[in-house]
Each structure stands twice: as structure tokens, then as C-alpha cells.
Amino acid sequence: MNKKLLTVAASIGTAIGLGLGACTGGGGGTTITPVPASGSTIRITINAGSSNVCSYFNAPCATVTICQSGTSNCDTVSNVLVDTGSFGLRVFSSLLPNTNNLLPAMQSSNAQPISECVFYADGTANWGPIKYASVTLNSTTTATQIPIQVIDASYPGASNCSGASATPTDFGVNGILGIGPLQTDQGYSGYFTCNGNNCNQILPPAYVTNPITQFASDNNGLTLTFASVPSSGAASADGYGVFGVGTNNANTPGSGTHIFQINGTGLTVNSTFRETTYPSYLDTGSQGYYFTSQFWPNCGGSLNGFFCPSSEISDSATMTGIDGLGNTASATINFNIGNASDLLNNSTNNAFSNIGVNIASLAGSSPLIDWGLPFYLGKTVYMVFAGKTATVNGVTLPASSSGYWIY
């Protein structure tokens, strides 16, 4: 499987990962998102990738630059997964020829280097040391150096991190840019000091950090905007992340948007579908709409778990919660489910708005809905980070321990 992510679902009983290689056959055109008129941005692409990385469908990827702080020693890495379901930057050491040996290592109180192990649902993992780096997204750089994970399955102690991916090709992407609602990955993975293969779990002095939270300005959230993708799919698509929420014309929600304060337990909001209420979350790193019940026919075979209705289904759910200001919030989510076999096996398309999957086998006993990348296509979605405030429609949202989703 090519899909690898550390999702917020880990806190409610699962980490989700599904993948399928590049599609074959005829394909559609390119869907282009207009460049935002103002604000600092990062371009996100959904296409065939390169060198067998970011080459699976619905993989939103971007380019990051990692530098030794205060120097011109830098490496620029493309095909990094943009993931609102995880937290912090992780990049393979093999892609950092100019900086890997120069970045300062995070150390414990007794001067031992600190490593991290991150597990994924498909049995793979990321292992590697935590180092400090300046991170640039497009032309915006962190104000200070931040902790990142340098993925390296040959680093001492890796035998304690079962399934650690050795190469970008093994993992499916060159790294993960975790820009979820939390500022760091505290509580979502393990940090260790090791003497050879003997490792002890510790509390680190700092945690792998979402780079946007450490920008000098426009650091309170992220605005994601994507053009629509036709029901047959598109060969490629793109979108933009505008840094900040409510700080300029390009990242300010309009009067018709809905504000949802994210629940501290599980980092979810409620979604009601077919008279049942589920914990749910928004996640660019998930390739489709993920459910934990067989609501539509199963494709079977190599697409076991994917939905294959005889014709495209139009359906809806209702997201409910509170807006952080003492008011209830509610919004209708309209979505389509297409025949995954027809869509994925008969085209070279890489962007789809209507792929659905039953993930009951991964989610175990935890019912949930994962509103994956298709949810974002054709929308502008705003995410306010935990601990940050934002002014929306003339009202300042108070800092929340888990942040907000607005759309």
C-alpha cells in the first residue's frame, strides 16, 4: 500500500492507511486552482508524482526547503505529502545531502540523541533522529529552527520500530508535512534514547512541530483551497495553502461559512449519516471518503473495501458541534460516491472527488467517518490551530485546545 499517514484517528483507536498505485488507461484533463490574490502560499499538486513517490491517486504533495539555521546550507525536497491529519515535518535522510550531517540533534538531559518511532496502519513506520532545522514553505521561513524528524531506518535503535520504511519508494512519499490542527505531535508517537538497539522511551525537551505555527506572521492557521474535479476524475489537479486565517483577503472566511470547534477527545467533530452520529474529521492525507460500514456495494478483488455502486450515488451528512462562541453549529455535507473500479482501473487520472472506502477492518470497533481529500475539492476550508485565535466575521474566536475547522 502506498498511503502512509499518522492520522488523528490514532486517538480514537486507529491509524488509517490505504493505497493504490497509479491508474491505467485513458485520462482526463487538468484542474487548475486560481492563484490566491493575496497572502503567502504554498502550491499543492495532485498528479502522477515522480520516481514512484507521490504517485498514487489523491496524493496532495508539495515542496519544502530544509536549512541549517543561519546558513545557506539547504536541501529542497519535492513530493512531500500535505497531511492535515498529522503534525510536523518528516523527511528521509537520503534527500538531505547538504544538511543531514549539519543539523543539530535533539538531545536528552544526559546528552543522548533522541529518536522517534511513528507507526502506520499498514504495518510500516518512520524511525529516525529528531533534529533542528529552519523550514521554508515556498518563500516563508520559520522564525526559529524547529524540531523535525529525519527518517532513517539505519539509525541506531531501528530494530525497535517494527516496519520502519527504508526508502521513499517503500514509503510512497519523500516525507510528510503534517499541518493538522495541533501545533506539535505530542501524544501521538514515541520518543526514545538508544544505546545500540537498547532503547528507553522518554519525554523529549520539545516535539516535532508544524512549521506554519512558527512563522513570524500568518501563523494562526491554514486556508486550503482547491478547484472542483469532475466526477470522471482529472489527470492532475492543484490547490493552494494560504498561511493564516483571517489575516488577509485570501484567508478570511465569508459570512456564509460554518465554524466548528474541534473536540479535544479524538480531534473530531460529529457527523450524522443515516440517522447515526459518528466522530469525524477532515484529512487531506486520506485518499477518499472513509466509512466504517458497508453502505454501498464492495468492489472486491484488488479493490476490496472500495465502494462500487452501479451508478454514482449522491448523498449527504450533517456535521454538528459548537462554534467556540457558545452557539451550536450545523452544516450539510453533500458528497458523491462513484464506482471505484470504473474510476481507478480505466484511466490515467490521479485526482478523484468521489472515491469511497469501507475501513472497518482498519478501524476495529471504533465507528468513524474520515472526510478525506475529496471533501476539500471544490471548497475553501479554513483550519485554526490549537492555541491560536482568529477573527471571523468581526468576531474573535477564543484559543481552543484543539483548534477549529471552518468551511
Side-chain angles (χ1 to χ4, degrees):
M1 290 186 287
N2 299 59
K3 168 79 161 45
K4 313 290 194 298
L5 79 149
L6 167 68
T7 91
V8 296
S11 65
I12 53 176
T14 184
I16 297 168
L18 286 173
L20 190 73
C23 308
T24 59
T30 297
T31 296
I32 298 175
T33 302
V35 179
S38 61
S40 300
T41 65
I42 182 172
R43 183 170 181 254
I44 303 167
T45 58
I46 307 165
N47 54 37
S50 61
S51 302
N52 293 317
V53 291
C54 261
S55 58
Y56 54 89
F57 76 89
N58 281 0
C61 290
T63 296
V64 304
T65 298
I66 295 167
C67 297
Q68 179 189 19
S69 184
T71 76
S72 59
N73 299 317
C74 299
D75 289 293
T76 297
V77 183
S78 61
N79 291 321
V80 175
L81 183 70
V82 177
D83 183 17
T84 61
S86 67
F87 320 103
L89 177 62
R90 311 171 196 282
V91 176
F92 278 87
S93 62
S94 59
L95 304 175
L96 304 176
N98 301 316
T99 58
N100 184 36
N101 293 329
L102 300 175
L103 298 177
M106 179 183 286
Q107 295 185 330
S108 65
S109 58
N110 60 352
Q112 286 186 287
I114 295 174
S115 300
E116 184 179 21
C117 180
V118 183
F119 286 110
Y120 303 99
D122 62 359
T124 62
N126 287 152
W127 172 262
I130 307 304
K131 298 189 176 185
Y132 292 94
S134 293
V135 176
T136 299
L137 305 181
N138 193 4
S139 59
T140 306
T141 303
T142 53
T144 61
Q145 60 181 2
I146 64 171
I148 69 170
Q149 183 182 31
V150 177
I151 305 170
D152 185 352
S154 67
Y155 196 77
S159 62
N160 294 276
C161 188
S162 177
S165 294
T167 67
T169 301
D170 291 340
F171 193 53
V173 290
N174 285 333
I176 294 181
L177 176 60
I179 50 174
L182 299 186
Q183 296 195 39
T184 73
D185 73 348
Q186 182 177 0
Y188 283 85
S189 58
Y191 287 76
F192 301 86
T193 57
C194 299
N195 182 6
N197 285 322
N198 296 317
C199 298
N200 295 306
Q201 189 165 358
I202 64 162
L203 293 177
Y207 294 86
V208 170
T209 299
N210 175 347
I212 301 171
T213 67
Q214 299 304 307
F215 289 164
S217 60
D218 297 327
N219 57 21
N220 68 332
L222 178 68
T223 299
L224 289 164
T225 182
F226 290 89
S228 298
V229 169
S231 60
S232 58
S236 62
D238 70 355
Y240 288 89
V242 184
F243 306 134
V245 174
T247 61
N248 59 60
N249 290 337
N251 65 21
T252 297
S255 59
T257 52
H258 306 275
I259 302 170
F260 294 91
Q261 184 174 349
I262 302 170
N263 296 329
T265 301
L267 296 180
T268 61
V269 294
N270 288 333
S271 289
T272 300
F273 181 61
R274 296 190 178 180
E275 300 182 346
T276 299
T277 299
Y278 302 87
S280 66
Y281 55 93
L282 312 183
D283 182 14
T284 58
S286 295
Q287 293 167 270
Y289 297 120
Y290 291 174
F291 299 86
T292 50
S293 294
Q294 192 68 46
F295 291 118
W296 301 279
N298 183 7
C299 297
S302 63
L303 290 176
N304 188 44
F306 285 76
F307 296 128
C308 278
S310 58
S311 60
E312 186 176 53
I313 301 293
S314 294
D315 218 321
S316 66
T318 303
M319 185 173 286
T320 57
I322 58 174
D323 65 0
L325 300 170
N327 306 309
T328 58
S330 177
T332 299
I333 300 172
N334 295 307
F335 64 95
N336 294 336
I337 299 293
N339 184 302
S341 179
D342 291 344
L343 292 167
L344 298 175
N345 289 331
N346 299 300
S347 78
T348 55
N349 290 338
N350 296 284
F352 298 95
S353 61
N354 51 1
I355 297 293
V357 190
N358 178 4
I359 56 166
S361 62
L362 294 176
S365 60
S366 299
L368 61 89
I369 297 176
D370 175 354
W371 301 111
L373 182 72
F375 175 89
Y376 288 83
L377 300 177
K379 291 187 182 71
T380 297
V381 179
Y382 310 82
M383 177 174 54
V384 180
F385 297 139
K388 301 284 189 176
T389 64
T391 299
V392 179
N393 298 326
V395 177
T396 298
L397 298 175
S400 162
S401 61
S402 301
Y404 298 87
W405 285 315
I406 306 169
Y407 62 91

